[in-house]
Each structure stands twice: as C-alpha cells, then as structure tokens.
Amino acid sequence: MTAAAPSEAARRFAARVAPGPRSASTAPRGSEPRVVVNGPATRLLAIDADPLAAATQAVRTSALATSDAVDVLAGEDTDLQDAFAYAREQLDLAARMIAETRLSDLPAFAANPTPVPFEPRTPLGATVLDTPVATSTEAIYGLRVSLRAALSTLTATVRGLGSTPRRGVPTIVVLPWLAEAALVAERIERLADVVVAHVHASRHPGTPELPGVGGDVELYPAGRATPERRFAQRARVRFTPGRVELVTSAGRASVGQESQIGSLLWVAPPPVTAVERLTAPAESDVPGVEHDALGTVHVLDTTGRSLAAIAVADWASQPTTVVDQALVDTTAPDLPVGAARGVFALHSIGFARGAATVGVPMLRGVAHPPAAAGGLGTVRPGPDREPYRGRDLLPTRVAARRRLRHGWRGGDLGPGFPFSGWMRPVTPWLLAVAPLLIWPGAAATRCRSWCWWRR
C-alpha cells in the first residue's frame, strides 16, 4: 500500500516552516542582537549575520504565502486575487535580484557593523488606524489601506533594488535595500495569512466553540527561570461572561467592568514586533519564532476601540508546535499556514473558546484599532529575564556589552542591581586604590602592637 502524495498546500506549508539556505562565509547566529538598532535598516544584521540569507528567506516565504492567498481567493474575490498575484510577481522578481547579489566584505562587515546610509520607508508592525472597528465596512479590518500601501512600497523597493549595483559591492551599499525588501515581504506575508485565515474560517465554520467549563477559560504563559518564575506561575488571562481578567507582574486588571466588551479582534503582527523587543536596550524580552505571525488579540468595546491588547504567543507554551501540528495532524485536512495560524492556533491555545465564553465574536484584521479612553495597551505576563537598568541603558553601553557577548571571552556579566551600572566603572579604580589603603593601615597596626609589646 503506497501513501498518497502530499497536496500543493502541504508542500507550501512544509516549505514555509523549513529554514532557508545560508552563506558559508558567515556562521549562523541566534536571535541575540549584535548592534544597537536605531531603525529597521539594521534589523538584518542585528538578528542574522548573513543579510542575504535573511532577505532571501523573507521573500521566499512571502511568495509562498501569496500563492496560498491566490489559490484560496479563486472564485471569492477577483480583485483581491489579482492584487496578490501582482505581489507574487514582484516578489519573484525581487528574489531573482537578491540571488544575483554578491557582497565583497560580508564577513568583515558582520564582524564590525557600521551605520547604514539611510533607513527604509516600511515601518515595523501593522498600521494603527483612526477609524474604529464598529464603523468600518470591511470584512477584514484595515485591508484596503494596508494592502494598497504594501503594494506601492513593494513596487518602489523592486525598482530601487534593480537600480542598485549588486555584484561585488560593499555590504553598506545594498544592505538598506535588502532590509526594505525583507520588511515589505514580511508585511505582504502577514496580509496574506490574515486573508487566508478569514476565507478558510468562512468556508469551514466547523463546530461552534462552547463556553468554558465552570463559566471561565484561563490561559497561562510559558515557564520562566528564577526570579521571573514567581510571577509567571501566577500570571493568567481569564475569560468570564462579559469580562476579561488579567493577572501579570504589574498587578491585576479587569476589562469589561467600566466599558462593555463588544468583540475580539485578531491582528498580525502585534503592536510591538519581535525586532523591537529583541533590540530594546533593556533586553528583557525573548520573543519566539511565531511571535509576529501569531499576532495579537484586541479586546474591543462596543464602539470598536481597543481596551487591551494580548499577544497570542505570550500565552502559548509552545507556539511553534501549535502551528506545525496542523501539518502532521492526519485527522485535519491540508491547511495553509495562514489558516493554521489564524484559525487552528487560536482554537488550540484557547482564544476562540475565550471569545465564546465572553459572548462576543472573534473578528480579524490587518491593522490595529484606535485605543479607547483608559485602555490598558499591550498587556504582557512580564519580562522574560532580568532587565538592564540605569547607566546600562545608554547606547554606548548597549553596544559595548553586545560586542563583548559575541566575543571569544563572552565578557558580559549580565544585569545587576539598579546602582550596579554606576558602580562598575568605579570598581577598577577602587581595586587599584585598595592596596594603598589596606597595607599601610595593616603595617601601622602591626608596628603599634610591636611597640606596645616592647614597652
């Protein structure tokens, strides 16, 4: 008995979650930032030592996401299907240009990065609109404005990348355009995933979610090391009829008492992206791989304004396993990655059941709604590790400790007390002066005792 060949959707699923090829001239590096990132142009070098591999991976996965959107939208929306087909053509053209790029000083530039000449126009994260969700007429909140801006930026990026020398040039010349291509490709991928999730949910409504047993649904964050383990064990999101209760390291909060909850809105990516968390001077957050893809859930009032934003990946112990489960689950049909993230993951983690417990619908969007008066903003369980404080937040100190951390000695001692940042520069001088203060005092004491004995 022979197994059936995988479908085209399953092949694209496996291709999107698989790691891309790398250059042999640079060693792979984890998600630890190396330089101080003042803008999105340096994100490729801050997270990956090989900007070509990072840009290639971003464009490749975005092209596969647009292919999923084109297939799903067949017979649904011709204009939207044509828009994603145009995006796929532009991404294929950008992929060919990036494949032809040859950098002359990549290992040296990765070891000693320099500031880039300009910053890309593509912002990090999704757009924040002024129009509340309740007054919007779109099925996917903010799709028209976001898609138009992303396509225009993609066209300008491909045109600029084509007019830039790409063979045997220094890295500083082409790096901003590689970052621009990676940013806009990631934005197109998020748009395609949300559209695929919305169409898949409308075609396959499935069994309605039932309220939680006992009248509530609780979500817990992943484990953390000491001393953050104390609050991580107590942090939770509790969905109850008409309310959402939050317990974090900052305290307790209840959403729905002063303003009635109207709906929940899932948006990808979250307001604070993984790049911004990784490159923050405090270095207290360690976002996972699926942080941006799983997005955030906004708790909206009846007017469609955000009362609180909850990052989905913060309340999943294994976000990558939740997404990849749709690929290996034999009982489920072949799902695109967008449906696995926007439908399957929300059901598996518990947000869909939480919406049913509160008694409101779960909407989808590609832009963040305006904040309500007295809103809580983005609510996190707490820091992932101890943050740097005081003088350690200065840009020069941040750059110095990241260079030491990636050196052969690994000389960063980590964060300390709030006043330790001011004590560390003085400590070598204190150690140098200490013998001059201790030894004369010891000699005088010894001499005094000897003289007293002789007397």
Side-chain angles (χ1 to χ4, degrees):
M1 183 177 180
T2 59
S7 62
E8 187 64 26
R11 291 193 184 96
R12 283 197 292 262
F13 195 123
R16 288 184 63 182
V17 298
R22 298 188 55 86
S23 173
S25 59
T26 56
R29 186 165 65 231
S31 59
E32 183 70 30
R34 181 182 179 86
V35 297
V36 179
V37 178
N38 298 321
T42 50
R43 70 180 292 266
L44 291 176
L45 195 62
I47 298 178
D48 200 315
D50 191 350
L52 284 177
T56 302
Q57 177 72 4
V59 173
R60 182 181 68 88
T61 56
S62 181
L64 294 173
T66 54
S67 299
D68 288 337
V70 170
D71 293 347
V72 168
L73 290 171
E76 293 284 341
D77 192 331
T78 306
D79 296 336
L80 194 57
Q81 183 184 16
D82 294 340
F84 280 106
Y86 172 77
R88 182 176 57 184
E89 296 175 358
Q90 295 295 313
L91 290 171
D92 291 340
L93 184 58
R96 291 196 295 269
M97 293 181 183
I98 295 174
E100 297 172 356
T101 303
R102 299 293 182 270
L103 303 179
S104 59
D105 59 342
L106 178 58
F109 187 82
N112 299 304
T114 57
V116 294
F118 68 93
E119 295 293 342
R121 296 179 298 272
T122 304
L124 294 173
T127 308
V128 180
L129 300 181
D130 298 330
T131 305
V133 180
T135 59
S136 177
T137 59
E138 296 180 282
I140 302 176
Y141 177 70
L143 179 60
R144 186 183 301 109
V145 176
S146 301
L147 185 58
R148 185 186 301 115
L151 291 179
S152 61
T153 306
L154 178 61
T155 304
T157 302
V158 173
R159 188 183 300 113
L161 188 61
S163 60
T164 304
R166 302 185 304 277
R167 296 191 177 184
V169 297
T171 307
I172 194 66
V173 176
V174 73
L175 178 64
W177 291 109
L178 293 177
E180 184 78 70
L183 286 171
V184 69
E186 186 177 356
R187 183 62 182 141
I188 293 290
E189 182 181 2
R190 299 284 84 80
L191 294 174
D193 283 348
V194 175
V195 170
V196 168
H198 175 76
V199 175
H200 186 274
S202 60
R203 286 182 179 177
H204 308 85
T207 304
E209 286 288 345
L210 299 177
V213 179
D216 60 359
V217 172
E218 290 188 355
L219 306 181
Y220 302 93
R224 287 168 170 79
T226 305
E228 281 75 16
R229 184 180 62 179
R230 293 175 296 177
F231 74 82
Q233 292 176 343
R234 300 180 179 90
R236 65 195 63 197
V237 174
R238 178 180 298 171
F239 296 93
T240 60
R243 290 201 315 272
V244 178
E245 299 178 358
L246 305 168
V247 181
T248 64
S249 60
R252 297 175 179 268
S254 181
V255 181
Q257 290 185 348
E258 299 179 358
S259 300
Q260 183 181 356
I261 299 177
S263 60
L264 300 184
L265 176 68
W266 176 70
V267 181
V272 182
T273 60
V275 175
E276 295 173 285
R277 289 190 176 182
L278 282 172
T279 56
E283 301 185 19
S284 60
D285 298 335
V286 187
V289 179
E290 294 288 339
H291 177 270
D292 290 352
L294 290 179
T296 186
V297 173
H298 288 273
V299 182
L300 306 179
D301 57 9
T302 54
T303 62
R305 299 180 181 273
S306 178
L307 297 172
I310 306 170
V312 177
D314 287 341
W315 304 94
S317 58
Q318 296 178 338
T320 306
T321 304
V322 172
V323 176
D324 295 345
Q325 185 179 356
L327 180 62
V328 299
D329 191 355
T330 57
T331 61
D334 292 337
L335 299 177
V337 180
R341 289 168 174 166
V343 179
F344 193 88
L346 294 181
H347 283 259
S348 300
I349 298 174
F351 281 94
R353 195 175 186 184
T357 303
V358 178
V360 295
M362 173 71 76
L363 307 178
R364 291 175 176 84
V366 294
H368 299 290
L376 301 177
T378 302
V379 179
R380 295 204 62 222
D384 298 319
R385 56 191 179 189
E386 280 293 293
Y388 287 89
R389 307 178 181 91
R391 191 170 178 268
D392 290 334
L393 299 180
L394 298 177
T396 54
R397 300 282 299 178
V398 174
R401 70 167 175 263
R402 287 175 180 174
R403 283 194 299 267
L404 289 174
R405 192 179 303 152
H406 287 90
W408 64 276
R409 293 180 59 187
D412 182 28
L413 299 178
F417 297 102
F419 53 85
S420 61
W422 301 96
M423 289 182 59
R424 287 175 182 176
V426 187
T427 301
W429 298 99
L430 294 178
L431 295 177
V433 177
L436 302 179
L437 299 177
I438 297 175
W439 291 347
T445 303
R446 180 64 177 173
C447 181
R448 180 181 177 184
S449 61
W450 182 80
C451 293
W452 178 84
W453 179 77
R454 293 289 296 177
R455 187 181 61 182

